[in-house]
Structures are given as structure tokens and as C-alpha cells.
Amino acid sequence: MGGITEQAGCAKAACGAMAIKTRGEKDVILAAMADALEKNSQHIIEANRTDLYNAEQSGMSVNMVDRLMLNEARIKDIADGLRSIISLEDPIGITDKMWTRSNGLRIGIRRVPLGVVGIIYEARPNVTADAIGLCIKSGNACILRGGKEAISSNMAIVDTMVVAGIKAGLPDGAVQLVRDTSRETATKMMQLIGFIDVLIPRGGAGLIKSVVESAKVPVIE
């Protein structure tokens, strides 16, 4: 998959093609991804078992282990979550304001994709699918960096979604998962000016504070 800079470069190269996808095209991609998650649920569950074993060995709390665990029902919920995104209105291309100046020049504010959205988050693997779905619906490429606790589950989810998505029209490179979960990689991700257009931390107060204080790219708290 290459280093994080190479991955961000691939996402950047794909964001233009992602930005011009129609609502229908994006919804076809999301539907294919949702179906693939259910079809490949056993593969994802098998990968999740590795994460559960490592979590138990590390002494993770029972509640945290439960949040990490995936089964058929939870994978169906994740797939249904993607399908619910399909039902949302396309946010791109909407003109919020329009006015005409005295010289006849018309000026408007129109919603457009951000480009490459970076998301740093913690242990829950369902966030991976949610993040991909929302980025696709809004016409953005994405690069995701989840916690080490869920890395095997995240890889299985992303690989499943990307393979199905590309067959359905997803631009190659538009969805990237950072597979090196070291602190150094997270720090480097926060500094990828020119590659990542906005960074979104999703998790506890400590994670958000760390990203806000360390990032050189724009951050949405």
C-alpha cells in the first residue's frame, strides 16, 4: 500500500474524479459496498477475532471489547447504515445563497466537495464504514487512520468495500486506510499539507485535543 504520503497522494489524485460523481453513481457505489459487507461477513468476523484476542490479552475492559466485537447482526447494521446514507439528499451542488450585484454580476454560495478528508478515530470498527460512506456521499476521497485495537477488522472492512466499490465505479485510490497505527504515522498524517484538505478527529476529548494541537492541516473538531 506504500507509506502514508503515497497513500495520501493516491487519494489526492482520485479526488477530482470523486468530486464529479453524480448522486446516482455514488449511491450505486454505496449499495455495492453494503451488499459486499454482508456477503463477506465471515471474512470480517474472522479478522475481528484477531482484534478481540489481542484486546483480551492486553487487558482491555469488557465494555471496550464489546464495542470492538463484530458478528453477523452488527455487520448487517453497518451495511444498513450505508444504505441509510443512500437515502440522504446529495449535499453537493446545492446553492445556499444567490444575489445579484448592481452591475448585474450574480454571486452565489454553492456546496462543493472538500477534496481529501482525513479521519483519525479510535477502536470501533463500524466507524470505518460510516466514514467511507459519508465521504463518498459528499463526493470526497478519504484517508482513514483507526486505532491499533481494530486494525485487522478495519483492513477487512476497507478491503471488502474498496473491491466492491471499484467494480461499481469508485475511483481507484479514493479510499485509503493507514495500516501503520504508530503514533509517528498519526503525527505525519496531521502534517500532510497539500495532500489532506481537512482532518476530522472522532473519539474522546484526549484524541481531539491532540489532533487540534498537533495538526498543520485544517481540522474540524
Side-chain angles (χ1 to χ4, degrees):
M1 296 298 293
I4 187 170
T5 303
E6 182 180 341
Q7 286 186 272
C10 290
K12 193 67 174 176
C15 71
M18 192 68 240
I20 61 174
K21 290 290 182 183
T22 66
R23 173 179 180 169
E25 290 170 332
K26 291 182 288 188
D27 289 350
V28 166
I29 293 168
L30 291 171
M33 288 178 162
D35 292 345
L37 287 173
E38 290 192 287
K39 182 178 179 180
N40 293 279
S41 60
Q42 286 306 311
H43 168 65
I44 296 168
I45 290 168
E46 191 65 33
N48 180 247
R49 289 195 184 107
T50 299
D51 290 331
L52 292 176
Y53 174 80
N54 291 335
E56 290 166 357
Q57 292 299 304
S58 69
M60 184 182 287
S61 70
V62 173
N63 286 342
M64 287 297 293
V65 170
D66 180 67
R67 290 171 67 183
L68 182 62
M69 187 269 291
L70 293 174
N71 55 28
E72 292 273 1
R74 288 186 175 182
I75 291 172
K76 184 180 186 307
D77 286 343
I78 292 171
D80 286 343
L82 287 177
R83 295 182 182 111
S84 71
I85 294 173
I86 293 172
S87 68
L88 298 176
E89 289 298 319
D90 191 335
I92 301 306
I94 296 174
T95 300
D96 291 321
K97 294 181 181 179
M98 179 71 73
W99 63 94
T100 303
R101 300 190 63 179
S102 58
N103 62 359
L105 178 65
R106 299 183 71 204
I107 300 174
I109 298 174
R110 178 170 292 181
R111 300 183 191 182
V112 298
L114 294 165
V116 178
V117 177
I119 304 176
I120 296 179
Y121 55 103
E122 294 175 331
R124 297 180 68 163
N126 63 296
V127 175
T128 301
D130 289 345
I132 292 171
L134 290 170
C135 285
I136 289 172
K137 186 71 176 188
S138 55
N140 293 296
C142 63
I143 179 165
L144 312 178
R145 195 273 188 188
K148 65 180 180 180
E149 301 83 359
I151 187 59
S152 294
S153 305
N154 288 340
M155 288 193 295
I157 289 169
V158 171
D159 289 347
T160 297
M161 293 177 71
V162 167
V163 169
I166 287 176
K167 289 180 181 177
L170 178 74
D172 192 12
V175 174
Q176 298 286 333
L177 174 70
V178 178
R179 299 175 189 237
D180 177 354
T181 58
S182 66
R183 184 179 296 272
E184 292 76 17
T185 300
T187 300
K188 189 170 184 180
M189 182 174 174
M190 298 177 204
Q191 299 171 351
L192 287 175
I193 298 170
F195 292 94
I196 294 176
D197 295 288
V198 65
L199 192 59
I200 302 173
R202 178 169 174 175
L207 171 67
I208 294 171
K209 182 175 183 288
S210 175
V211 173
V212 170
E213 291 178 351
S214 303
K216 293 184 179 179
V217 299
V219 176
I220 297 176
E221 294 185 46

